[in-house]
Amino acid sequence: MKPLSNAELSTFCGQLAMILRSGISALEGLSIMAEDVPAGEGRTLLENMLQCMESGGSFHEAVEEAGCFPAYMCNMVVLGDQSGRLDDVMASLAAYYRREDELAKSIKSAVTYPLVMLGMMVVVMLVLVIKVLPVFNQVFQQLGTGLTGISGAVLRMGSAMSRYSVVFIVIAAAVAGLCLYFFCSQKGRAGVKKLSASFFGTKKLAEQIACARFASGMHLALSSGLNIDESLDTVSRLVEHPQVGEKAQRIRQMVAEGGSLSDAIDETGMFTGVFARMVHIGVKTGAIDDVMSQIADQYDEQIQQRMASIISKLEPTLVAVLSVAVGMILLSVMLPLMGIMSNIG
């Protein structure tokens, strides 16, 4: 069975948390959920988990055997089962995966709009080069001349594209296939994340996203009953950003050697400024899980603002590039044509 999406994980965890808090057991809760789900993969998943529990397995064993839940969730469910706080763990997981889903949607919307604009630019330019310029060239030929300069070069390029259209269609299909691979497969998305972590235009944004996930994961682990050492051990394995992942591993090592969490975060630079000060206060007051939640929320706001800023700058830039390109081609055609018509007149 394919892995569940963040939205599906959030819904599953949220429903089960509500059922558990109402005093219903996990076994009975899965049975109730299976009755409400229409026939399909969702019901099959719940029925398989029910069979596992009815045959003597625990809830965390049913989650692990399902094979469609992430390792992080499996580890947290084991903790909830063993500590008797499964309802709190499931509620925290629901909030965690809801935040992950909102973050993924924000990234998707930020990427989709520029890609659509870029696609429109390509279509407009192709129509202009392949369909419009040949018409102008026929007019010039009837007047005893032809297209020269920029317009002539663009016309020759359009003729080549029209002549070898099959080759360009194959190339376009290959590019579309690569895009699907990078955005729809796990390996592809991992490659995109690595690229975004090193590309100058997205490096800062990728680092903020990784820090937000670190803080969110720490909040979930700490609020689920893990101590700081155990939380760092669990969360440090989930950070995919290379630099932030190294910082998380270093923090884990420093705390294991007897250092404090706040000093380790200061030394590694995981959080700076106000966020680092908040961690100091959280460690002193014993409210580090709440502080991590607040830091994650603040990072999410910063990420949303940065994405909105990127889109607001990218939109007029793409429109300006398209307008200038189309204008230059048309002017290179219209000005000579106007000169010829005026001489004829």
Side-chain angles (χ1 to χ4, degrees), residues 42 63 71 216 260 281 300:
V63 169
S216 180
S260 69
I281 296 173
D300 285 342

Side-chain angles (χ1 to χ4, degrees), residues 244-288:
V244 177
E246 289 177 5
K247 291 179 182 179
Q249 291 290 349
R250 191 176 170 194
I251 291 171
R252 173 174 168 269
Q253 182 179 359
M254 292 175 66
V255 172
E257 293 173 352
S260 69
L261 176 63
S262 55
D263 291 340
I265 286 177
D266 270 345
E267 186 170 332
T268 58
M270 173 68 79
F271 302 139
T272 57
V274 176
F275 293 161
R277 184 61 182 166
M278 289 171 64
V279 173
H280 275 280
I281 296 173
V283 170
K284 289 181 180 179
T285 59
I288 187 63

Side-chain angles (χ1 to χ4, degrees), residues 272-331:
T272 57
V274 176
F275 293 161
R277 184 61 182 166
M278 289 171 64
V279 173
H280 275 280
I281 296 173
V283 170
K284 289 181 180 179
T285 59
I288 187 63
D289 55 336
D290 292 333
V291 167
M292 286 294 179
S293 177
Q294 294 174 23
I295 291 175
D297 290 338
Q298 289 294 321
Y299 267 119
D300 285 342
E301 290 182 10
Q302 291 182 7
I303 291 166
Q304 296 286 352
Q305 292 174 358
R306 182 174 287 271
M307 287 182 176
S309 175
I310 291 173
I311 293 175
S312 65
K313 294 176 182 176
L314 199 56
E315 177 182 356
T317 301
L318 290 174
V319 172
V321 170
L322 176 61
S323 302
V324 170
V326 173
M328 287 180 62
I329 294 174
L330 291 179
L331 283 175

Side-chain angles (χ1 to χ4, degrees), residues 89-109:
V89 170
M90 297 307 290
S92 297
L93 283 169
Y96 174 79
Y97 286 113
R98 187 182 308 114
R99 177 183 280 128
E100 288 288 294
D101 182 56
E102 291 173 353
L103 182 59
K105 287 180 179 177
S106 298
I107 296 173
K108 185 177 180 180
S109 63

Side-chain angles (χ1 to χ4, degrees), residues 139-160:
V139 173
F140 274 86
Q141 288 177 348
Q142 292 174 0
L143 295 173
T145 182
L147 291 177
T148 59
I150 297 176
S151 55
V154 174
L155 176 64
R156 290 189 292 273
M157 182 180 68
S159 299

Side-chain angles (χ1 to χ4, degrees), residues 63 75 128:
V63 169
N75 292 336
L128 185 62

